[in-house]
Amino acid sequence: RNYMNDALLVHETFNLAQMLQGENVPANITELYNLVHEQGQNGFHFYMLFLLGFMSGIAAGNGSRFMNAKNAEAAISGFLMLQSLLKSPPRDIYWGYMTTRAQALKIPHETAEDLVLVRLACLSRLQDASGYKALRGSWDVLGSFQKDVLIHHFLADGIETRAFVLEFLPTCVANAKANGLIGLTLLLEVLVELLTNLKQAVQ
């Protein structure tokens, strides 16, 4: 029972699935660190075991249709990075995971713009390099101001730089890509307007 309560508290504090999709920020890992440092690692380990079972059951039928080789690779990368939770800085864990995803997808990850595109690739739930070409094409048609806003947003860590966590953004990306009248570029343009207004509202 204690493990279950601790795991629920972990899930309330930190959603691993959001990290796997590039949905949250390094500050969320800081919150997880603070919790695990206080309550110990047993609840966190139980949470990861629970989440692995939960994700394996998504769209279940004859086996798991969600936890295929590609999705399992991303999940394992996230689990491995979080093993160093009490040893490594949150930013290193977060961007270390993003780097492993970039390597798995065989996409660039050297510059700030590259890292933003890696995070967008996670948000887009890309599973191979072919999807990256379309993502890159949507990015390249944006103006310099729009790119600057998005780079600032997607690189903000929430620790030293204010960050906004936009929940369900992966679903928005998926729906935009599936809608021929919208597409990813238009969604990114709307996102720039939203972020600009949010920045003004909190200043």
Side-chain angles (χ1 to χ4, degrees):
R1 182 178 177 180
N2 289 338
Y3 282 177
M4 181 64 73
N5 289 339
D6 288 348
L8 289 173
L9 184 57
V10 170
H11 186 65
E12 182 181 352
T13 304
F14 177 81
N15 189 326
L16 176 59
Q18 288 185 337
M19 189 186 90
L20 299 181
Q21 297 184 125
E23 192 175 352
N24 60 13
V25 295
N28 295 110
I29 299 178
T30 299
E31 293 176 345
L32 175 63
Y33 167 84
N34 292 336
L35 177 65
V36 173
H37 185 72
E38 177 182 342
Q39 73 172 23
Q41 298 187 57
N42 288 338
F44 175 58
H45 291 159
F46 184 79
Y47 165 71
M48 289 202 293
L49 179 62
F50 153 76
L51 193 62
L52 178 61
F54 177 80
M55 290 191 296
S56 297
I58 296 176
N62 184 15
S64 176
R65 285 175 287 180
F66 171 79
M67 192 58 79
N68 53 31
K70 293 291 185 180
N71 288 333
E73 184 178 38
I76 291 170
S77 295
F79 291 149
L80 290 175
M81 291 306 302
L82 286 173
Q83 282 186 338
S84 60
L85 177 66
L86 298 181
K87 301 176 183 177
S88 301
R91 279 185 291 258
D92 290 354
I93 294 173
Y94 187 88
W95 290 110
Y97 167 73
M98 292 296 165
T99 298
T100 63
R101 295 304 302 139
Q103 293 169 342
L105 293 170
K106 296 181 173 58
I107 61 178
H109 55 278
E110 287 77 25
T111 68
E113 186 171 295
D114 287 341
L115 291 176
V116 169
L117 285 164
V118 172
R119 192 170 168 196
L120 281 170
C122 291
L123 285 162
S124 301
R125 301 165 179 161
L126 298 189
Q127 295 192 340
D128 52 52
S130 62
Y132 178 77
K133 294 179 181 179
L135 170 61
R136 182 82 214 195
S138 296
W139 174 267
D140 285 341
V141 300
L142 296 173
S144 57
F145 170 76
Q146 293 169 319
K147 290 180 180 178
D148 287 344
V149 171
L150 292 172
I151 288 172
H152 178 80
H153 167 68
F154 285 117
L155 295 184
D157 58 23
I159 302 170
E160 295 181 354
T161 307
R162 185 193 298 273
F164 299 106
V165 175
L166 305 178
E167 294 188 359
F168 305 109
L169 185 55
T171 303
C172 288
V173 171
N175 289 338
K177 290 170 61 179
N179 190 322
L181 297 177
I182 300 178
L184 183 56
T185 299
L186 182 56
L187 175 64
L188 292 176
E189 292 173 350
V190 171
L191 185 57
V192 168
E193 292 187 27
L194 172 63
L195 293 169
T196 302
N197 290 332
L198 280 174
K199 183 178 179 180
Q200 294 174 350
V202 299
Q203 284 180 342

